[in-house]
Amino acid sequence: ARRVRHTQIMMMADELLHRGGTELTELAQSELTGQILGAAFEVHTVLGPGLLESVYQQALGRELQLQGLPFSSQVHVPLQYKGGTLDTSLRLDLLVAEQVIVEIKSIAALEDIHHAQLLTYLRLTGMQVGLLINFNVVSLKLGIKRVINTPRTSANSVPPR
């Protein structure tokens, strides 16, 4: 039964990854995000909705560890602004395999600002993909957003003066 459930989880993760028509260019990165989503589905299946964000972060970390995926929690990223380093930093919930930023929420509903926050984190770190996961939903499928950092010309990419 566990093997069937894992297969179902991976199929749902794959479906979520390719929803919206945006394909990841690197197969390894796609497989990694699929594994992260599989771990998130397992955490949600075991714990259900309604707990604090910190609980889901620790549980997802444990599940990633059990799967043998390298990750760091509460990663502080120094911020640069116009040629100087600020006295504050970004704090990423999880950084998996030095490739995927995972932002964890336990809220009534994801808002546009949460997507914007993760996109800003991706742009400031130069990373390509992030996962926004809201565990406070009946079906985790409804709480997952994949965010891709695509190159663009903006104030973020203008060199400091």
Side-chain angles (χ1 to χ4, degrees):
R2 181 160 171 79
R3 183 69 184 153
V4 171
R5 187 171 61 175
H6 179 73
T7 302
Q8 290 170 333
I9 288 170
M10 294 309 293
M11 287 172 56
M12 288 190 306
D14 188 58
E15 175 190 328
L16 285 166
L17 283 173
H18 296 95
R19 189 184 305 155
T22 305
E23 301 285 336
L24 291 178
T25 56
E26 297 180 26
L27 180 59
Q29 198 169 46
S30 180
E31 288 176 3
L32 177 59
T33 54
Q35 288 177 300
I36 296 166
L37 289 175
F41 277 106
E42 180 67 14
V43 168
H44 192 266
T45 299
V46 172
L47 296 179
L51 301 174
L52 295 174
E53 179 181 312
S54 59
V55 173
Y56 294 114
Q57 182 176 327
Q58 287 185 28
L60 183 56
R62 176 68 178 140
E63 191 62 37
L64 293 171
Q65 182 182 35
L66 291 170
Q67 290 187 17
L69 291 174
F71 73 95
S72 301
S73 296
Q74 300 296 308
V75 178
H76 289 273
V77 178
L79 287 172
Q80 300 292 316
Y81 181 76
K82 293 189 175 184
T85 301
L86 301 178
D87 288 335
T88 189
S89 62
L90 297 177
R91 184 190 49 81
L92 310 177
D93 287 343
L94 294 172
L95 179 60
V96 182
E98 300 291 324
Q99 295 180 52
V100 179
I101 297 173
V102 179
E103 279 301 304
I104 297 169
K105 304 291 181 194
S106 183
I107 54 180
L110 291 174
E111 303 284 340
D112 289 343
I113 191 65
H114 302 119
H115 179 273
Q117 173 192 20
L118 181 51
L119 185 56
T120 297
Y121 286 4
L122 290 169
R123 288 191 179 130
L124 291 174
T125 60
M127 302 191 94
Q128 184 185 3
V129 66
L131 294 171
L132 182 57
I133 305 174
N134 180 19
F135 283 93
N136 198 30
V137 290
V138 174
S139 171
L140 190 60
K141 235 177 147 171
L142 303 173
I144 294 175
K145 299 287 180 197
R146 183 178 49 120
V147 180
I148 302 295
N149 180 16
T150 56
R152 68 177 185 129
T153 303
S154 70
N156 292 337
S157 61
V158 175
R161 293 183 184 179

